Amino acid sequence: MDYKKSYRLLILGIWSGAALVFAGLNLASYGIAEPLANTAAFLGISFMLCSIAQALFFYKCPCCKKSLYTRGKRPDYCPSCGYKLDL
């Protein structure tokens, strides 16, 4: 997997996980379907953790294979070797 797909999966996993956690907390606050609310929150946290784990393994520079920064926006150049990354 290349770094572009890994970054897209990271963003998708974080946002979808956060939406599931928010939906679970919202259901739980109204007292509707408590087991469903807990399951949604657990799945949301799982999505977020899995997306972060895949980014740690696959979000790397294609030239030097060192990890790129996952915080903030995508870098234009590799911080280690200076390779220009395609955006």
Side-chain angles (χ1 to χ4, degrees):
M1 176 183 318
D2 65 342
Y3 67 96
K4 293 178 196 176
K5 288 180 188 175
S6 178
Y7 185 77
R8 285 187 212 122
L9 284 175
L10 173 67
I11 298 301
L12 180 69
I14 294 292
W15 282 105
S16 62
L20 276 172
V21 168
F22 179 72
L25 291 176
N26 199 15
L27 286 174
S29 69
Y30 290 114
I32 303 171
E34 190 76 25
L36 179 66
N38 291 340
T39 304
F42 176 75
L43 283 175
I45 292 171
S46 299
F47 276 7
M48 288 192 278
L49 291 176
C50 288
S51 67
I52 291 170
Q54 71 80 25
L56 291 175
F57 286 112
F58 296 114
Y59 192 53
K60 297 179 186 252
C61 174
C63 184
C64 67
K65 305 295 185 210
K66 291 199 177 184
S67 292
L68 299 171
Y69 297 128
T70 56
R71 296 181 188 157
K73 68 178 193 109
R74 254 189 323 188
D76 294 332
Y77 295 92
C78 175
S80 298
C81 68
Y83 180 77
K84 176 146 176 59
L85 301 170
D86 296 330
L87 299 177

